[in-house]
């Protein structure tokens, strides 16, 4: 979220001593918890989300990962070259954030807590500097080209040697600002690589720049020497300009691809107006907001927390959070969600939930996971990035040695062309640029992506399996009939069932709780009685809930304990003779206690979605834990031939594994919680429902709206994404295979090599931008 982890000056990240002091302020749990989450399975282990500034390619990401893993206490590090984000898992018993941030600083990169307002400020500062460097390089390039043009166009006899030498000196002077100002990012990165014995894309580029300027300088100072025949200041300034132009455009376009995902994550305001005890308003950062604070939200701003309106009336946009595309009216007493937008009027709200406790906070956690994940194709590019760069240096050295005997100057310029023309950046960006662009478009369309690899897998899916309850049918069921054993009132049975159901998230359990509050079945039940105590509560995924009911005699104090079960007939150990409709059973130690029958409604969009999937050539199935008769009814209405009921979670998983063994790529669509095992076992999984606890979801995709409409669009966009990824990889491969031999043979001048390198990276990112358009959900 946009919670500033701490107020740090941008310049602190450029000054090591100040930087170290600033980072130590993050060594308190209250501070690092703003950009970190505890790992539940491991005590004192945290996963931190951070942004790295100063990295430009996959080799940079690999260098940062290697530096982090050398720090004792850092368990794992995952860095994305596409989003510049990282996920660091570390133990607070052994290390602190300042220590692993310092390790990154020693490599020459800057670390900023993710979603901090400082991260955006650092990026803007870097963009301004890059624009200045680009402007200086462009201005000097044009002047140098003016001095070089007469030499190129005139006959050697037409210009006096003194005039040629004067033009060389003028070009040399104009190249100095380019060398000492515009080239500094490349030189800084290259020096960092040499100092730490690593390699990144900037090392061969920096070598090429220095060699070109050095050869041209020798030709200027010694016009009759070995390198005096020709100078290359025009090529030097041109390829520096082209490289900077390419990097600047790439940065701008990345803000529209991976930046689309970050725009969603950074939706909350950096600061809010809080009402003091004296009734005045004070401006504070979001991290200082506390529960029950009253804050002011102006029209056009996002709500900073889950809250209740205490003054005013407005309309809000909750499309990102709930999938509801229409503005919703909210007035005094109504609740508003963090991350939703206030559209029409200023309101005052009282904070009820903050940070990771809000649904928006859980969304951000999912998107952060996606932004640093690496699909298999990206991992393959990572493995070849460093060897590729070393191969470039060897190829350049070989080219220089090969032509040295004929012309040392020409041989060195051939080597420079080889150093500059090769572009592992395009290869490393081919996959993450496209997938991050798609992840951003999906997020804007109400679909959260947990891991990028799921996009690659989804494109290959040929079988889609649906759960029935709450997936193909509406989540809200109506309790129609209660059957009880002799001596038990329907209202009493409903009350017992509701007490158990309160501890379950299954749609049937929610229906029982609602029925207990509003149902006519409770007419003859005395609600003033003290509710019984439930102990040893357990929920068995996909089967039901079990607990021990404790009744205490008010006179003797004696305890009466009995085991209650709520769920399927099999779970309640009852004979298999269930009704044909959706139902749940309640049993105690004496056996059957009650059966609750529900009416369910098929989702309005289910029929259209299923037909669209079949039109795409996908096989559609239903696997449900409900009774076979109930499942068959829904399958018949939806024209699904392959439907199976009475499936335990183990049976669902077995069916999925069987389909996979037959060569099918399986997508599972369920409620995200009760279908946990089968969602994890499927090749790719979807969960839907506004009431789903996102932090507990195990699905690869989560639909924020409670409907199936985004399913078809998600599959289609995944196929389009892989098509573009393959185009990017093909372009990067063909470019390098074609241009490297041309450069080694001397047919590619240095300035054209620089232009080609810039265009190759821009081409990959521009192609990926085609995926950034909004998701087309019909």
């Amino acid at each position: 979220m946009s919670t500033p982890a701490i107020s740090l000056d941008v310049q602190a990240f450029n000054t090591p001593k100040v930087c170290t002091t600033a980072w130590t302020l993050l060594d308190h749990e209250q501070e690092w918890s703003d950009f970190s989450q505890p790992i539940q399975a491991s005590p004192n282990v945290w996963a931190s989300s951070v942004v790295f500034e100063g990295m430009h390619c996959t080799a940079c990401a690999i260098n940062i990962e290697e530096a982090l893993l050398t720090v004792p206490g850092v368990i794992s590090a995952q860095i994305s070259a596409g989003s510049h984000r990282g996920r660091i898992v570390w133990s607070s018993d052994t290390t602190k954030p300042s220590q692993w941030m310092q390790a990154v600083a020693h490599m020459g990169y800057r670390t900023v807590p993710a979603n901090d307002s400082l991260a955006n400020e650092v990026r803007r500062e870097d963009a301004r500097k890059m624009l200045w460097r680009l402007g200086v390089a462009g201005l000097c390039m044009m002047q140098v080209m003016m001095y070089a043009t007469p030499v190129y166009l005139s006959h050697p006899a037409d210009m006096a040697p003194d005039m040629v030498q004067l033009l060389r000196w003028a070009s040399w002077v104009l190249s100095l600002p380019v060398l000492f100002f515009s080239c500094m990012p490349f030189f800084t990165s290259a020096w960092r690589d040499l100092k730490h014995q690593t390699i990144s894309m900037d090392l061969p580029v920096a070598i090429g720049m220095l060699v070109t300027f050095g050869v041209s300088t020798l030709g200027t100072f010694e016009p009759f020497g070995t390198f005096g025949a020709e100078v290359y200041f025009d090529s030097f300034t041109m390829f520096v300009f082209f490289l900077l132009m390419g990097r600047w455009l790439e940065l701008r376009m990345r803000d529209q691809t991976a930046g689309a995902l970050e725009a969603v994550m950074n939706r909350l305001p950096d600061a809010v107006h809080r009402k003091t005890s004296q009734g005045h308003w004070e401006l504070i950062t979001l991290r200082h907001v506390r529960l029950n604070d009253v804050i002011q939200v102006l029209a056009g701003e996002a709500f900073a927390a889950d809250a209740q309106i205490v003054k005013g009336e407005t309309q809000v946009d909750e499309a990102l959070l709930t999938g509801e595309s229409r503005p919703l009216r909210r007035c005094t007493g109504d609740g508003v969600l963090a991350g939703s937008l206030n559209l029409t009027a200023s309101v005052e709200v009282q904070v009820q939930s903050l940070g990771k406790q809000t649904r928006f906070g859980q969304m951000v956690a999912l998107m952060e996971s996606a932004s640093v994940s690496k699909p298999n194709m990206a991992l393959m590019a990572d493995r070849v990035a460093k060897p590729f760069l070393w191969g470039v240096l060897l190829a350049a050295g070989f080219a220089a040695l090969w032509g040295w005997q004929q012309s040392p100057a020409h041989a060195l310029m051939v080597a420079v062309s080889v150093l500059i023309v090769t572009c592992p950046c395009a290869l490393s960006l081919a996959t993450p640029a496209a997938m991050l662009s798609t992840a951003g478009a999906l997020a804007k369309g109400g679909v959260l992506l947990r891991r990028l690899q799921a996009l690659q897998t989804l494109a290959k899916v040929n079988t889609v399996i649906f759960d029935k309850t709450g997936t193909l049918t509406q989540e809200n069921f109506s309790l129609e009939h209660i059957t009880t054993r002799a001596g038990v009132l329907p209202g009493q049975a409903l009350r017992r069932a509701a007490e158990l159901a309160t501890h379950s998230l299954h749609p049937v359990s929610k229906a029982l709780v609602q029925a207990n509050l509003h149902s006519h079945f409770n007419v003859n039940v005395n609600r003033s009685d003290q509710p019984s105590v439930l102990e040893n509560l357990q929920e068995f995924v996909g089967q039901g809930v079990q607990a021990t009911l404790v009744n205490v005699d008010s006179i003797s104090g004696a305890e009466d304990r009995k085991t209650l079960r709520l769920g399927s007939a099999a779970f309640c150990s009852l004979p298999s003779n269930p009704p044909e409709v959706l139902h749940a059973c309640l049993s105690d130690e004496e056996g059957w206690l009650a059966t609750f029958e529900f009416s369910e409604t098929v989702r309005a969009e289910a029929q259209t979605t299923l037909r669209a999937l079949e039109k795409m050539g996908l096989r559609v199935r239903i696997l449900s834990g409900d009774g076979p008769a109930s499942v068959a009814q829904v399958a018949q209405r939806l024209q699904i031939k392959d439907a199976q009921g009475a499936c335990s979670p183990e049976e669902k998983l077995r069916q999925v594994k069987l389909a996979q063994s037959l060569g099918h790529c399986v997508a599972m669509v369920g409620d995200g919680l009760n279908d946990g095992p089968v969602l994890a076992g499927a090749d790719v999984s979807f969960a839907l429902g506004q009431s789903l606890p996102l932090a507990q979801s195990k699905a690869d995709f989560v639909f924020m709206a409670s409907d199936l409409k985004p399913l078809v669009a998600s599959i289609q966009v995944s196929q389009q994404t892989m098509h573009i990824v393959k185009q990017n990889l093909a372009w990067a491969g063909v470019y390098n295979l074609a241009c490297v031999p041309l450069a080694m043979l001397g047919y590619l001048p240095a300035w054209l090599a620089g232009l080609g390198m810039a265009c190759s990276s821009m081409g990959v990112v521009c192609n990926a931008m085609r995926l950034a358009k909004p998701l087309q959900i019909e």
Side-chain angles (χ1 to χ4, degrees):
M1 297 176 312
S2 296
T3 308
I6 197 160
S7 179
L8 301 177
D9 188 353
V10 174
Q11 295 304 318
F13 285 82
N14 299 317
T15 311
K17 292 183 179 179
V18 178
C19 185
T20 304
T21 304
W23 281 329
T24 58
L25 298 176
L26 300 175
D27 287 346
H28 302 283
E29 184 172 336
Q30 182 181 358
E31 302 295 345
W32 77 57
S33 60
D34 283 337
F35 60 95
S36 308
Q37 287 186 323
I39 304 296
Q40 299 297 334
S42 305
N44 299 326
V45 174
W46 298 77
S48 296
S49 296
V50 292
V51 175
F52 296 98
E53 298 294 339
M55 58 181 292
H56 303 291
C57 64
T58 297
C60 296
I62 296 172
N63 291 338
I64 294 174
E65 287 178 353
E66 292 175 349
L68 286 166
L69 292 175
T70 62
V71 179
V74 173
I75 300 169
S76 66
Q78 197 173 20
I79 315 298
S80 169
S83 65
H84 291 195
R85 284 177 169 262
R87 182 176 186 268
I88 320 301
V89 179
W90 53 282
S91 171
S92 58
D93 292 334
T94 312
T95 188
K96 292 292 185 288
S98 63
Q99 294 175 268
W100 48 262
M101 287 182 174
Q102 187 64 30
V104 175
H106 285 154
M107 295 295 296
Y109 303 97
R110 299 188 299 274
T111 311
V112 184
N115 309 316
D116 192 298
S117 58
L118 179 61
N120 294 326
E121 181 60 31
V122 170
R123 179 176 297 174
R124 285 192 292 267
E125 181 71 16
D126 284 348
R128 283 194 293 268
K129 289 181 179 178
M130 185 177 293
L131 199 56
W132 271 104
R133 290 189 169 97
L134 176 64
V136 169
L139 181 63
C140 293
M141 176 196 71
M142 290 187 289
Q143 295 299 317
V144 171
M145 284 301 299
M146 287 177 58
Y147 297 145
T149 301
V151 178
Y152 288 143
L153 298 182
S154 63
H155 191 274
D158 294 340
M159 291 190 67
D162 291 344
M163 180 60 68
V164 172
Q165 189 63 16
L166 179 62
L167 292 175
R168 286 188 178 187
W169 276 103
S171 298
W172 180 79
V173 171
L174 287 168
S175 297
L176 291 177
V178 177
L179 179 73
F180 291 111
F181 180 66
S182 298
C183 295
M184 284 312 295
F186 301 100
F187 293 155
T188 303
S189 179
W191 175 248
R192 175 188 65 213
D193 291 341
L194 292 173
K195 189 166 60 174
H196 296 282
Q197 299 180 357
T198 59
I199 190 171
S200 70
M201 186 187 73
D202 285 346
L203 181 59
V205 170
I207 293 174
M209 291 175 176
L210 286 174
V211 169
T212 305
F213 185 81
V215 168
S216 301
T217 299
L218 289 174
T220 301
F221 281 81
E222 297 181 4
F224 302 105
T226 304
F227 302 102
E230 190 175 358
V231 294
Y232 306 94
F233 293 118
D234 54 336
S235 294
F236 169 70
T237 54
M238 285 179 71
F239 73 66
V240 170
F241 173 76
F242 289 141
L243 290 177
L244 286 173
M245 175 63 78
R247 186 162 288 186
W248 182 74
L249 290 174
E250 182 186 322
L251 178 66
R252 294 296 301 269
M253 288 184 288
R254 187 178 71 84
D255 287 341
Q256 298 180 46
T257 53
L261 196 61
E262 293 183 15
V264 176
M265 291 190 283
N266 294 331
R267 193 168 189 173
L268 299 192
D270 297 325
V272 297
H273 286 91
R274 180 175 64 183
K275 200 171 191 177
T276 65
S277 56
Q278 291 79 26
H280 303 300
W281 295 101
E282 60 177 350
L283 184 65
I284 60 169
T285 59
L286 189 56
R287 63 180 296 274
H288 288 109
V289 175
R290 298 292 180 261
L291 294 178
N292 299 319
D293 280 352
V294 174
I295 60 176
Q296 185 182 51
V297 184
L298 302 177
E301 292 182 347
F303 289 95
D306 288 352
Q308 184 181 45
I309 296 179
V310 294
K311 184 179 180 181
E313 180 179 329
T314 187
Q315 288 188 318
V316 301
D317 177 4
E318 295 182 354
L320 177 67
L321 299 154
T322 65
E324 176 56 63
S325 58
R326 297 171 300 176
L328 302 174
R329 180 174 175 269
R330 293 288 185 264
C331 54
T332 302
D334 291 339
V336 290
L337 299 175
S340 60
L341 293 177
N342 181 16
L343 297 178
T344 56
S346 173
V347 292
E348 296 177 18
V349 300
Q350 186 173 36
V351 175
Q352 295 180 328
S353 186
L354 281 165
K356 299 178 180 67
Q357 305 305 315
T358 65
R359 186 168 179 81
F360 180 80
Q362 296 171 10
M363 283 178 54
V364 168
L366 280 183
M367 289 187 285
E368 284 178 340
S369 174
S371 68
V372 300
S373 64
K374 294 184 180 180
N376 292 338
M377 297 177 77
L379 290 173
M380 179 181 67
D382 286 359
R383 285 193 291 269
V384 304
K386 277 196 170 183
F388 183 87
L389 288 170
W390 286 115
V392 168
L393 292 177
L394 291 174
F398 175 77
L401 290 174
W402 182 265
W404 189 266
Q405 296 298 328
Q406 297 178 349
S407 172
H410 181 71
L412 286 176
M413 291 310 297
V414 168
V416 167
S417 296
V418 174
L419 289 171
I420 294 173
V421 76
T422 49
C423 190
C425 189
L427 186 65
S428 63
L429 283 174
T431 300
M435 290 193 170
L436 287 169
S437 184
T438 299
L442 286 171
K444 289 182 177 180
V447 181
L448 300 187
L449 175 61
R450 181 182 292 276
R451 56 190 183 94
L452 295 182
Q453 176 60 32
L455 281 173
Q456 185 176 338
T457 307
L458 182 59
K460 299 183 291 185
V461 161
N462 54 23
T463 300
V464 183
I465 299 177
F466 290 88
D467 180 39
K468 177 182 75 72
T469 307
T471 304
L472 291 173
T473 61
Q474 295 285 356
E475 292 178 333
N476 300 322
F477 307 127
S478 175
L479 179 60
E480 297 293 332
H481 184 67
I482 302 177
T483 307
T484 63
R485 74 183 178 206
V488 179
L489 292 174
Q492 291 174 330
L494 177 58
R495 186 176 178 186
R496 290 281 180 256
E499 288 175 353
L500 283 170
T502 303
H503 304 278
S504 170
L505 290 170
H506 194 279
V508 168
S509 298
K510 296 178 182 178
L512 283 169
V513 173
Q514 289 299 313
N516 183 53
L517 294 174
H518 308 292
S519 178
H520 63 276
F521 293 107
N522 289 314
V523 171
N524 297 319
V525 177
N526 185 2
R527 286 186 169 272
S528 63
D529 292 344
Q530 183 91 16
S532 303
V533 178
L534 294 176
E535 297 180 351
N536 305 320
L537 253 157
Q538 288 180 283
E539 181 172 13
F540 297 84
V541 177
Q543 301 179 66
V545 185
Q546 173 183 295
T548 302
L549 176 68
V550 182
N551 285 318
V552 181
D553 189 280
S554 59
I555 299 175
S556 65
E559 291 186 354
D560 176 32
R561 293 175 173 266
K562 60 176 65 176
T563 300
L564 291 180
R565 283 193 166 197
L566 174 68
S568 64
F571 177 71
C572 295
S573 303
L574 301 177
S576 181
N577 187 25
E580 293 186 357
V581 297
L582 178 66
H583 68 280
C585 297
L586 180 67
S587 69
D588 58 13
E589 293 173 346
E590 299 176 22
W592 173 73
L593 191 62
T595 298
F596 306 92
E597 298 179 12
F598 302 86
S599 64
E600 54 183 339
T601 305
V602 172
R603 290 182 180 275
E605 75 280 2
Q607 187 78 253
T608 305
T609 300
L610 295 172
R611 299 293 80 80
L613 293 174
E614 290 174 347
K615 190 175 181 180
M616 294 168 64
L618 304 180
R619 180 189 179 196
V620 177
R621 300 178 62 188
I622 296 178
L623 293 178
S624 174
D626 295 337
S630 174
V631 174
Q633 285 182 357
V634 173
Q636 184 177 8
R637 292 171 63 182
L638 294 174
Q639 303 174 31
I640 300 177
K641 298 178 181 179
D642 191 347
Q644 184 175 339
C647 291
S648 65
E650 292 76 19
E651 176 61 19
K652 289 183 182 180
L653 186 59
R654 193 186 72 81
Q655 290 290 331
V656 168
K657 295 297 183 186
L658 178 61
Q660 290 170 332
S661 68
L662 296 175
H664 295 287
C665 187
V666 179
M668 180 70 197
V669 187
D671 63 15
L673 187 66
N674 297 294
D675 294 311
V678 69
L679 289 176
D683 295 291
V684 65
S685 53
F686 296 84
L688 69 158
Q690 295 174 218
S691 57
L692 173 70
L694 297 180
Q696 300 178 42
S697 170
K698 304 301 179 187
D700 298 311
F701 295 84
V702 178
F703 297 158
M704 300 306 295
S706 186
D707 62 51
L708 295 168
K709 291 179 183 177
L711 179 59
V712 174
S714 298
I715 296 175
Q716 290 173 336
V717 79
S718 72
Q719 294 171 345
Q720 185 184 3
T721 299
M722 294 315 301
H723 182 64
I724 286 181
V725 165
K726 291 174 182 177
Q727 287 180 345
N728 284 348
L729 289 172
W731 159 250
V734 168
Y735 165 81
N736 282 290
L737 288 174
C739 291
V740 173
L742 289 174
M744 293 187 69
L745 293 173
Y747 295 126
L748 206 65
W751 68 268
L752 188 57
L755 179 61
M757 181 184 179
C759 289
S760 64
S761 295
M762 286 190 293
V764 165
V765 180
C766 284
N767 199 27
M769 283 179 63
R770 294 162 52 197
L771 296 165
K773 59 185 179 181
L775 203 63
Q776 298 297 319
I777 300 176
E778 299 179 357

